[in-house]
Amino acid sequence: MTATAREGLPAAAVDDEGEPLRAHRWRTPSVEARTAGALLGVAGLVHVVVTPEHVDEWAPAGVFFAVVATAQLWLGQALWRGTAKRVLPAAVLSTAGLIALYVVSRTVGLPFHSDGAAVSGGGHHGPLLVPGGHGNGMPVIPGSEGGSTVEPVGLLDAVCVTAEFAALALLVGLMAVAQRRSVTNLLLAVGVCGWVAWAAVRFT
Amino acid sequence: MSLSRRDLLKLGVVGGAALALPLERTVRAGTSTQSRLASSRLPKPFTLPFRVPPVLQPSRVDSTTDYYKVYMKPIMADVVPGLKTPLWGYNGSVPGPTVKVAQGRRTVMRQVNNLPATHPLLRYTPWTSVHLHGSPSAPEYDGYASDITNPGQYKDYVYPNTPTARTLWYHDHGLHHTAENVLMGLAAQYHLTDPLEQSLPIPHGEFDVPLIVSDAMFATDGQLYFDNHDESGMFGDVVLVNGVPWPVMKVKRRRYRFRLLNASISRSYRWSLDSGDPFVVIATDGGLMPEPQRVKSFRQGMAERYEVVVDFSRYPVGRRVVLGNSSPKNNIDYDNTNKVMAFDVVGDDFDPADNAVPDQLNPTNPVMALTAGDAVRTRRLDLVRKNSQWTINGHTWDDVVRSRFALVEANPAEGDVEVWEIRNSSGGWFHPVHIHLVDFRVLDRNGVAPMAHELGPKDVVYVGENETVRVVMRFEGRGKYMIHCHNLVHEDHDMMSQFEVVAGESTDPMSDPCRSLPEDGEL
C-alpha cells in the first residue's frame, strides 16, 4: 500500500513498477535504465567519432550524425539519472528508427544519398541522374562497393547497432504493459517485413 | 523490467534482422571477389600468331558518303588458350574492325547497342557513347559522355573526314563506365588518308599495320579481372596487341609502318627494340609530322597514336626482334609487361614499292606553324586529386552535369588561338590529357622543348609527374567539347570537364539523341 492510500487520499495511477504514470522521472533509476543509458552513450560516442568523415562526404549527412550523437548522449545521461521516463516512447521509436535506417543503408542503400558524396571504397559519388539512362551506370567492382550507395558493415557499425539494439530491448522492458505490447507488435511487423524482403531478393 | 517470453521472441525477430541482414550483405559482397588467373596459366610470350583486325565494309555508298552499320554485341573470345572470355565487340570483333576512308568523304556510322541490359559481373547498364578520337566532329556526334545510347537503342554518327590523313580510333565514351566498356573491347582504329599521305613513298597496304596495344588481367574462369585500385587505374598482367597476348609477327626484310595506338585503360609504355635500332616516327595523333624523327625509345600515354617505321632489312632471316616496354613511372608492372610482341624476320619476296621515309613529310601543316605569339590568351588547367576525386581546375563532370552542362573551363571564340598550360603538380600519377575537337602543337614541357617524338600535331599530351606542359591550338568549330584525362578510370571518376567554342550558332551536344530499335530489330 502506498503512502497516499494509507492517508485516505485518492490513489494516483501507477505503472508496473509502482511509479506514478505521469511522473517524468523514476524515483530510482533501475539497473536496466542505467544499462540502456550506458549503451546509448556508447552509440552516441560512435556517432560523434564518425561525424567528421560524414561532414567531409556530404554536409547534411554530417549534420544528421551530429544531431543523432547529441540526442543519444542526452538520452543516455537522462536514463542514467532517471529523468527520461516521459520520453521513453519517443526514445524507443527513435532508436528503432535509427536501427531501421542503418539496415537499409547496409542492404539496399539510402535513396537520398548525396549527388556529390563519396562512398567508402573510392572517391566516386552517388549517382547523378543521367538523362535517358537506365540505372545509375556505375559499375560495382567485385569485392568493392565503389560506385554503390550500399555501405559495408564496419567494426564501429557493429558496435553501434549492437548497443542500440540492446538499449532498445531494455527500453521496451521499461514501458508499461499496454505500450509494450503495441511497440513489440510493431517491431515484430518491421522485422518480419525485413526478413521477407531479404528472402524475396535472395531466393527469387 | 518484465519482458515476457513472447516479447523476447518478437524482439529476437527484429534484432536478428537488424544484425544479420547487413552482415550477410557485406559478406556476400566480399565473397564475390574474383580470383585472378595465376601467371603460370598465362600464355608464354611470343607463342601466339599476330593478327590484324578486319576492315569494316560500308553497307551502302553514295556519291558523297559511306554508310556503316556497327553492332556492339557480346562475344565469347579465345584470348587465353583454354579459357573463354566474355567480351563486347564492335560487330563482334575485339578490337573492332578498322574503318578506312579518304579525306573529304563523309561517313555515317550507325552504332547499334546490342549489349546486354546489364553487365554480367559489374551490374551496370552498358549505355554507350561512341567517340571518333581525332575527328573534329560536330558536338552531337562527338561521343559527348552524357549523350548516351542504352541497350536496345542506336545512333547515327556523322563524320566529315575533313582533316589531314591520320590514325584515329573510335571507342566508347559512355558516362561512368568508359573504362569498363573499353576494357570489354569497344575500341578500334579508323584510318583517314589524303593525297599527300598517299603520294609519299612510306609503307602502304599490307606493310601499313595497325598495332592496338592494351593490357588486361583475367580471372580463373576466363572473365576479365576487374580491379581499379581504388579508382586510380586498371593494370593488366597480359599485354595484348590487336587482342592477342604477346603475339609474334612474321615480317619481310623491308620497312613496315606501324600505327601504334595505346588503347590501355591506364598503362603507359616506353617502347624500344631489343636490337637497339631506332624507330622512325612519321606521324603523331593529328597526322604526318613535318619531318621524321629517329628515336631509340619513346613513351606513349593512353590514347596517343604514333606511326613508326621499322626497317627489318637490316636483320638476317630468322632473326627475332622484340618490341619491349620499359615502363614509365606509376604503372603497375608484372612479370611480362616489359614485353609487347616479337617480329620474326622471314625471307619471303616483297613488293619494293613504298619502302622509304622521305626527309619531309608534311612541312606545311598549319598546326605546327602555330607559336605562343599567335595566342590571344593563355589559360591554365590544373590536374588535381581533391577530396578523393580526380578534377580539372577543381571541377568534375558531375559539376558539369549539375550546372545543366553550362560549366566550361574555357570559352574561346571561333578562330581564336590559345595557349593552354596544363599542370600536374603531383609526383604520384601521370595524366594523358585529351582535348576534343582540336589538333595542337606541344610548345614545351617544364620550359624545355618537347620530346622528339612529340614534334607533330597532337590531340593527347602526356602530362607526367610534376610536369607543366604548354600547348597551342586554334579553335575551329563551334559548341561544347570535352577535356579529360585518358586514364579512363580517372575520366570516369571524374577528371573530365568541357570547353565551348563560341560562335554565332552553337549546337547542343545532346541535340541528336539515340533512337529505339524497331520491334523486329531490323534497321
Side-chain angles (χ1 to χ4, degrees):
Chain A
M1 181 180 288
T2 64
T4 308
R6 273 201 306 271
E7 291 161 12
L9 298 172
V14 295
D15 63 15
D16 300 346
E17 309 292 332
E19 304 271 0
L21 273 180
R22 289 175 175 276
H24 75 283
R25 61 178 297 158
W26 293 285
R27 288 196 194 97
T28 307
S30 63
V31 173
E32 290 84 358
R34 288 199 155 175
T35 306
L39 289 165
L40 285 179
V42 168
L45 287 175
V46 170
H47 283 120
V48 168
V49 168
V50 299
T51 291
E53 68 190 64
H54 285 86
V55 169
D56 286 347
E57 287 177 6
W58 189 38
V63 170
F64 173 77
F65 273 79
V67 169
V68 167
T70 306
Q72 286 184 323
L73 290 173
W74 178 84
L75 192 59
Q77 63 80 32
L79 284 164
W80 186 268
R81 292 167 53 209
T83 59
K85 187 172 184 187
R86 201 152 39 179
V87 295
L88 193 55
V92 166
L93 292 176
S94 59
T95 302
L98 269 182
I99 293 171
L101 198 63
Y102 162 82
V103 172
V104 171
S105 73
R106 265 60 177 180
T107 51
V108 294
L110 293 171
F112 46 81
H113 199 276
S114 136
D115 286 346
V119 294
S120 59
H124 206 63
H125 357 253
L128 277 180
L129 285 179
V130 179
H134 298 163
N136 65 25
M138 304 286 235
V140 180
I141 304 292
S144 149
E145 292 307 317
S148 161
T149 57
V150 179
E151 297 178 59
V153 176
L155 179 63
L156 284 179
D157 296 326
V159 168
C160 187
V161 74
T162 303
E164 284 172 341
F165 182 72
L168 176 68
L170 291 167
L171 293 175
V172 168
L174 292 172
M175 299 180 92
V177 172
Q179 280 183 327
R180 188 188 310 160
R181 187 177 302 121
S182 303
V183 167
T184 54
N185 284 340
L186 179 65
L187 292 175
L188 175 66
V190 171
V192 168
C193 287
W195 282 110
V196 168
W198 172 79
V201 170
R202 287 292 281 129
F203 301 113
T204 57
Chain B
M1 175 168 138
S2 52
L3 285 174
S4 66
R5 187 182 302 169
R6 181 176 297 178
D7 292 334
L8 287 172
L9 278 173
K10 292 175 187 172
L11 288 169
V13 170
V14 71
L19 300 176
L21 297 186
L23 276 175
E24 188 271 346
R25 173 69 170 77
T26 298
V27 169
R28 189 155 45 87
T31 54
S32 67
T33 21
Q34 297 176 285
S35 296
R36 186 180 143 201
L37 189 65
S39 56
S40 59
R41 292 194 58 195
L42 298 176
K44 288 195 166 36
F46 320 137
T47 55
L48 296 170
F50 177 78
R51 67 162 191 247
V52 172
V55 174
L56 188 65
Q57 299 302 322
S59 58
R60 181 164 72 89
V61 297
D62 63 24
S63 59
T64 60
T65 306
D66 298 338
Y67 298 86
Y68 296 93
K69 280 184 188 172
V70 180
Y71 295 85
M72 295 173 252
K73 57 185 180 184
I75 57 164
M76 293 299 281
D78 298 297
V79 183
V80 176
L83 292 173
K84 291 284 184 190
T85 302
L87 296 176
W88 294 341
Y90 292 117
N91 282 355
S93 173
V94 176
T98 305
V99 175
K100 296 192 176 188
V101 62
Q103 184 186 44
R105 272 197 75 74
R106 206 173 69 124
T107 50
V108 176
M109 289 183 77
R110 174 160 293 181
Q111 292 282 0
V112 184
N113 185 338
N114 273 348
L115 300 174
T118 54
H119 187 286
L121 184 68
L122 307 182
R123 311 201 306 256
Y124 66 90
T125 301
W127 59 61
T128 58
S129 180
V130 182
H131 172 50
L132 179 56
H133 187 138
S135 166
S137 310
E140 65 271 34
Y141 305 124
D142 193 49
Y144 197 68
S146 294
D147 177 31
I148 58 170
T149 301
N150 285 297
Q153 297 177 325
Y154 71 96
K155 171 159 175 156
D156 291 336
Y157 290 86
V158 181
Y159 303 125
N161 298 317
T162 50
T164 52
R166 62 188 59 192
T167 303
L168 304 92
W169 64 305
Y170 59 104
H171 66 83
D172 191 61
H173 215 303
L175 186 59
H176 295 323
H177 49 244
T178 294
E180 288 78 10
N181 279 4
V182 171
L183 190 65
M184 289 295 288
L186 297 179
Q189 285 199 1
Y190 183 110
H191 299 170
L192 180 58
T193 62
D194 66 13
L196 171 64
E197 184 269 342
Q198 287 293 296
S199 70
L200 293 174
I202 54 179
H204 289 107
E206 67 169 303
F207 306 109
D208 176 1
V209 182
L211 298 184
I212 302 174
V213 182
S214 58
D215 60 317
M217 197 170 265
F218 296 86
T220 48
D221 60 0
Q223 290 196 76
L224 291 173
Y225 182 93
F226 294 90
D227 182 357
N228 68 13
H229 298 276
D230 202 14
E231 299 178 356
S232 64
M234 286 184 179
F235 298 92
D237 54 358
V238 177
V239 177
L240 303 140
V241 180
N242 296 344
V244 180
W246 302 288
V248 59
M249 175 188 182
K250 288 183 168 51
V251 290
K252 298 170 183 173
R253 299 186 65 236
R254 57 153 289 155
R255 288 185 174 85
Y256 279 72
R257 169 188 182 183
F258 296 110
R259 296 176 185 255
L260 262 169
L261 159 65
N262 178 357
S264 282
I265 305 304
S266 305
R267 182 180 295 286
S268 63
Y269 299 85
R270 181 175 282 108
W271 314 112
S272 60
L273 297 171
D274 69 345
S275 62
D277 290 317
F279 307 93
V280 181
V281 186
I282 61 169
T284 50
D285 310 329
L288 291 165
M289 304 170 94
E291 51 203 40
Q293 301 293 325
R294 295 167 70 86
V295 292
K296 288 197 168 182
S297 163
F298 66 100
R299 75 178 178 186
Q300 182 168 4
M302 297 76 81
E304 286 187 291
R305 288 91 68 211
Y306 291 103
E307 295 181 31
V308 299
V309 172
V310 177
D311 183 1
F312 293 102
S313 68
R314 66 181 74 201
Y315 307 118
V317 172
R319 170 74 189 268
R320 169 169 286 182
V321 180
V322 172
L323 175 63
N325 164 39
S326 56
S327 185
K329 278 197 294 186
N330 289 311
N331 289 287
I332 298 176
D333 295 321
Y334 298 93
D335 287 350
N336 284 318
T337 48
N338 59 345
K339 305 172 185 71
V340 181
M341 67 178 291
F343 305 97
D344 281 353
V345 181
V346 299
D348 299 359
D349 292 338
F350 56 84
D351 181 351
D354 293 340
N355 193 16
V357 178
D359 292 338
Q360 298 275 302
L361 296 163
N362 186 5
T364 59
N365 187 326
V367 173
M368 298 310 294
L370 291 173
T371 67
D374 297 324
V376 295
R377 64 186 68 82
T378 296
R379 300 183 195 267
R380 175 179 285 177
L381 295 185
D382 275 316
L383 311 173
V384 179
R385 178 89 165 148
K386 182 179 151 191
N387 297 331
S388 301
Q389 288 185 293
W390 303 105
T391 72
I392 296 176
N393 287 346
H395 299 139
T396 66
W397 192 255
D398 277 357
D399 294 326
V400 173
V401 175
R402 259 191 291 272
S403 73
R404 298 181 183 274
F405 304 99
L407 174 68
V408 294
E409 304 304 325
N411 52 356
E414 189 174 20
D416 277 2
V417 175
E418 294 193 352
V419 168
W420 285 12
E421 189 174 290
I422 310 171
R423 190 169 68 172
N424 173 14
S425 51
S426 162
W429 38 75
F430 59 90
H431 301 292
V433 172
H434 175 36
I435 304 172
H436 284 229
L437 176 68
V438 295
D439 292 344
F440 54 73
R441 178 181 162 223
V442 182
L443 288 172
D444 50 46
R445 171 175 279 106
N446 285 351
V448 176
M451 299 173 195
H453 68 282
E454 298 177 301
L455 297 174
K458 300 276 294 159
D459 57 38
V460 179
V461 65
Y462 197 113
V463 187
E465 296 78 358
N466 298 304
E467 285 186 354
T468 297
V469 181
R470 291 195 315 148
V471 300
V472 62
M473 63 214 133
R474 183 185 300 280
F475 293 89
E476 289 168 314
R478 53 187 59 184
K480 290 174 182 150
Y481 290 91
M482 296 172 287
I483 321 161
H484 59 90
C485 176
H486 228 291
N487 178 333
L488 296 179
V489 177
H490 294 186
E491 176 191 320
D492 286 334
H493 298 281
D494 201 12
M495 193 174 253
M496 182 159 67
S497 190
Q498 64 177 355
F499 65 95
E500 179 172 16
V501 182
V502 180
E505 287 180 16
S506 188
T507 311
D508 181 344
M510 293 189 284
S511 61
D512 187 6
C514 62
R515 297 173 172 81
S516 291
L517 287 170
E519 294 268 326
D520 60 6
E522 286 297 314
L523 287 166

